[in-house]
Amino acid sequence: MKNLSIVTAALAAALAVPAQARAAVKVITSTQDLASLVTEIGGDKVAVEALARGYQDPHQVEAKPSFVIKLHGADLLVVVGRELESAWLPALVTQSRNAKIQPGNPGYLDASRTVRILDIPTGQITRAMGDVHPQGNPHYWLDPANGRRIAKAVQGKLSELSPGDAAYFAQRYADFDGRLTAAESRWKGILAPYKGTKVVTYHRSWSNFAEAFALDVVGYVEPKPGIPPSPAHQLALTEEMKRQGIRIILVEPYFDLKTPNAIARNSGARVLVLPPSVGGVKGTEDYIRLFDYSVNLLASALKTATVP
Amino acid sequence: MVTERSLGQVLQFLAAPFAASLILTGIHSYLGLHVVERGVIFVDLSLAQIAALGGTIALLLPMSDGDPHSALVYWVSLLFTFIGAGLFAMVRGRQARIPQEAIIGITYAVASAAAILAMSQSTSQAEHLKDMLVGNIIAVSWPEVLRTAALYGAVGVFHYVFRKPFLAISVQHDHPEKTGLNVRFWDFLFYASFGLVVTSSVAIAGLLLVFCYLIVPAVAAMLYGESIGARLAIGWTMGTIVSALGVYLSLALDLPTGATIVCTFGLVLVVMGLLRPVLRPKRA
């Protein structure tokens, strides 16, 4: 019995969450992108933590016990939505026994509600369309305009939960909006020479990014993630890339490079690993720096790739 | 400082996964003794893969609405499990030239590949199908625990009632004719009930963990016990201790729960193996 009590005490000590400042709204987000945007708006009036790391595939995250405990203590849960986290998050939210953050309750914010969503299938979904999310493309945060919309939704939600700080959140939003707008024109300037450049991507992570910066995504390496592309698909893609002179394949850091490398070899293109999320690689610690990093990396790759 | 309340909260979250792991220990340690005795170690992976194939195919049917928890998905994967059980009961027999383990391995590989082919034909969310069919023990809910307990209780009673033929065939695995039983019939019942358990277990705990609960306590029990009763007692004790230790380590170190329990099983088995010469010296 003595041993048992030592074990339980050690267990509780290991799990004890450091005391937060009393007034802070405790926010848990599914991804680091959302955490960064919540920090921009909430400042020191919130304590925010992300569950998935930026280098993880947000479709598939291995749940850890701390996730449930963090969710249990949260005042607000912000999710990407559009079924991005449907394989791992909903069961944990149910398990958290936190009524506040259940879908539909005031402590639950689906960030996708107010943004521009692409690739929403219209009419009958057929196999020919490849991998389709019935609710549209969930990788919407990679458009700065959507980042601004998410920030606005976060501002509204935080003001609702902590009305006394509404003016503070509004001021932080205005500040973020200003910095984002300035950065946006900088990014658009850097990528302007490559307007309309055709690229191939691994997964459909960059539809919104491509729209924002006028790139043209003409194909995908794996029509369905987790399912190796058929030889026919690989061949057709390689031929298409040669025909259209496509020089760049964008790949998320968590996918294997064997297939894209093979296609790149055969088509004369080059593979560029680009982080789609905050925290994916060093130098992408917040939302604006993620774009700084991606835009610069992409511009230098396009510069060398488009020189014949 | 840790307050009573936070400790209570922690234990509250642990309760359902821990209860689930105890239920897994109860039935799997027992079935594992049969499986190890019969030398069909990978039969659970194979049956689970057949069930997953059934589930994937059912998800592709328009009637399922793509809902992995629909009744259709459950019944189709169960039907596939029974077909697999029938297959394993049929292929054993006189053609001893082909080891049963080879058939089990082939079934595993073909069922896995067929599931990939089936997924490649889905219209949406292929990346989620696999995860939806494979559970994570940290996310298990109380209703699931209770439902599983009832099901496994029924299977346990069934096995207790018919323990004589099941045990006779397992012990005489290489010479089943000596038992004087209708081996194919009893084998089908064995693999069917076994498949029912494994399919449900994989849905709440995942493939790796289910494999460990089945094989490791049985092997540990064989190191130390001779009679079925002694082996069961050792298997259950080991399973319970490893479950508690694994869940504790997973919380203390914040590691994925299922994988932590699997590695704890491995460590404890190594320790038990090393201690065996000390604890059970060979009789002079």
Side-chain angles (χ1 to χ4, degrees):
Chain A
M1 262 353 288
K2 199 185 166 202
N3 278 341
L4 182 70
S5 63
I6 289 169
V7 166
T8 46
L11 182 143
L15 288 161
V17 182
Q20 301 288 0
R22 205 168 47 82
V25 181
K26 277 184 244 159
V27 187
I28 297 295
T29 66
S30 61
T31 67
Q32 288 188 268
D33 306 284
L34 294 176
S36 168
L37 290 169
V38 171
T39 307
E40 294 285 5
I41 304 305
D44 54 13
K45 305 285 183 197
V46 301
V48 60
E49 224 175 328
L51 296 179
R53 305 279 101 200
Y55 50 78
Q56 289 178 308
D57 179 353
H59 292 290
Q60 298 171 324
V61 178
E62 187 71 44
K64 295 193 286 187
S66 60
F67 287 11
V68 183
I69 293 167
K70 283 173 187 164
L71 287 170
H72 180 77
D75 300 311
L76 172 63
L77 169 66
V78 189
V79 303
V80 175
R82 306 280 156 171
E83 298 189 339
L84 182 82
E85 310 101 332
S86 65
W88 57 279
L89 190 57
L92 298 177
V93 172
T94 312
Q95 273 308 93
S96 75
R97 284 170 232 210
N98 181 349
K100 283 186 277 189
I101 60 159
Q102 300 301 319
N105 288 0
Y108 179 89
L109 177 62
D110 179 342
S112 75
R113 289 287 156 227
T114 52
V115 303
R116 173 170 161 70
I117 297 290
L118 299 176
D119 306 333
I120 296 179
T122 48
Q124 188 80 21
I125 298 175
T126 69
R127 217 190 295 154
M129 298 163 79
D131 183 53
V132 173
H133 282 265
Q135 299 186 18
N137 192 319
H139 303 273
Y140 57 81
W141 65 86
L142 285 171
D143 174 353
N146 274 346
R148 185 177 292 111
R149 294 182 185 114
I150 299 168
K152 188 79 199 164
V154 168
Q155 185 213 332
K157 181 53 83 178
L158 288 176
S159 308
E160 189 186 311
L161 293 177
S162 185
D165 295 317
Y168 174 80
F169 298 138
Q171 177 257 315
R172 299 234 1 146
Y173 172 78
D175 175 64
F176 173 68
D177 182 28
R179 280 184 290 125
L180 185 64
T181 307
E184 215 179 333
S185 60
R186 186 169 76 235
W187 301 327
K188 288 197 167 143
I190 294 171
L191 288 176
Y194 313 106
K195 206 169 171 184
T197 302
K198 289 172 175 160
V199 297
V200 161
T201 72
Y202 193 96
H203 181 56
R204 283 177 192 255
S205 303
W206 285 288
S207 296
N208 288 85
F209 185 89
E211 191 197 47
F213 299 107
L215 300 172
D216 189 5
V217 181
V218 296
Y220 306 96
V221 173
E222 276 198 359
K224 285 169 200 298
I227 310 283
S230 66
H233 174 80
Q234 247 184 82
L235 197 66
L237 185 64
T238 309
E239 291 303 313
E240 188 65 17
M241 286 174 67
K242 276 194 209 158
R243 205 173 59 74
Q244 300 205 36
I246 291 163
R247 312 299 300 269
I248 291 278
I249 304 177
L250 299 181
V251 184
E252 296 82 346
Y254 35 79
F255 288 121
D256 185 55
L257 290 175
K258 273 195 228 58
T259 311
N261 277 340
I263 293 174
R265 259 198 315 277
N266 294 328
S267 64
R270 76 170 265 206
V271 168
L272 182 66
V273 177
L274 208 57
S277 274
V278 170
V281 294
K282 214 170 172 305
T284 60
E285 283 76 15
D286 63 43
Y287 188 77
I288 288 179
R289 274 199 273 181
L290 170 68
F291 282 88
D292 277 334
Y293 181 94
S294 300
V295 165
N296 284 324
L297 192 65
L298 184 62
S300 65
L302 287 171
K303 194 174 173 185
T304 52
T306 45
V307 174
Chain B
M1 276 312 297
V2 179
T3 61
E4 284 300 312
R5 189 159 158 267
S6 71
L7 181 62
Q9 276 175 6
V10 169
L11 293 176
Q12 199 182 26
F13 293 124
L14 283 178
F18 185 61
S21 67
L22 290 187
I23 295 166
L24 289 177
T25 304
I27 193 97
H28 286 259
S29 299
Y30 163 75
L31 289 171
L33 288 174
H34 281 284
V35 164
V36 174
E37 194 75 67
R38 287 168 180 236
V40 288
I41 309 300
F42 294 106
V43 73
D44 63 320
L45 295 183
S46 201
L47 278 174
Q49 201 59 55
I50 293 172
L53 172 62
T56 310
I57 290 173
L59 273 174
L60 295 182
L61 300 174
M63 298 87 90
S64 76
D65 284 335
D67 172 14
H69 305 293
S70 70
L72 179 79
V73 170
Y74 181 78
W75 290 110
V76 173
S77 51
L78 198 59
L79 176 72
F80 270 66
T81 309
F82 288 161
I83 294 172
L87 183 73
F88 294 145
M90 290 300 290
V91 293
R92 85 118 85 203
R94 286 182 192 83
Q95 285 110 338
R97 273 194 305 166
I98 301 166
Q100 203 175 5
E101 200 64 338
I103 305 292
I104 290 168
I106 294 165
T107 311
Y108 174 78
V110 173
S112 309
I116 294 176
L117 294 187
M119 276 186 254
S120 74
Q121 298 304 300
S122 80
T123 51
S124 67
Q125 290 202 297
E127 72 264 45
H128 297 157
L129 288 186
K130 267 183 289 182
D131 307 285
M132 286 172 161
L133 295 168
V134 174
N136 184 336
I137 197 158
I138 194 73
V140 74
S141 67
W142 275 115
E144 276 178 306
V145 170
L146 296 177
R147 220 179 314 130
T148 312
L151 178 70
Y152 292 3
V155 172
V157 167
F158 176 75
H159 271 259
Y160 183 74
V161 170
F162 297 110
R163 62 191 179 282
K164 283 192 179 134
F166 284 139
L167 267 175
I169 292 171
S170 287
V171 172
Q172 291 286 346
H173 187 255
D174 295 328
H175 305 283
E177 66 284 353
K178 284 187 189 166
T179 59
L181 293 161
N182 182 345
V183 176
R184 289 219 164 119
F185 172 74
W186 289 108
D187 264 3
F188 174 74
L189 285 184
F190 176 79
Y191 288 121
S193 59
F194 179 73
L196 183 64
V197 168
V198 166
T199 307
S200 315
S201 301
V202 170
I204 62 170
L207 209 56
L208 273 182
L209 197 54
V210 170
F211 179 78
C212 276
Y213 272 108
L214 192 69
I215 303 300
V216 181
V219 170
M222 285 173 160
L223 285 176
Y224 286 92
E226 300 298 334
S227 72
I228 178 97
R231 285 179 175 181
L232 260 184
I234 294 166
W236 280 336
T237 310
M238 187 224 187
T240 305
I241 291 171
V242 169
S243 299
L245 192 61
V247 171
Y248 163 68
L249 287 175
S250 145
L251 271 156
L253 308 174
D254 198 25
L255 297 168
T257 310
T260 309
I261 298 179
V262 170
C263 289
T264 311
F265 261 123
L267 281 176
V268 172
L269 185 64
V270 167
V271 170
M272 286 177 75
L274 291 176
L275 288 179
R276 187 169 183 270
V278 185
L279 295 178
R280 280 176 63 102
K282 276 194 187 122
R283 276 176 225 130

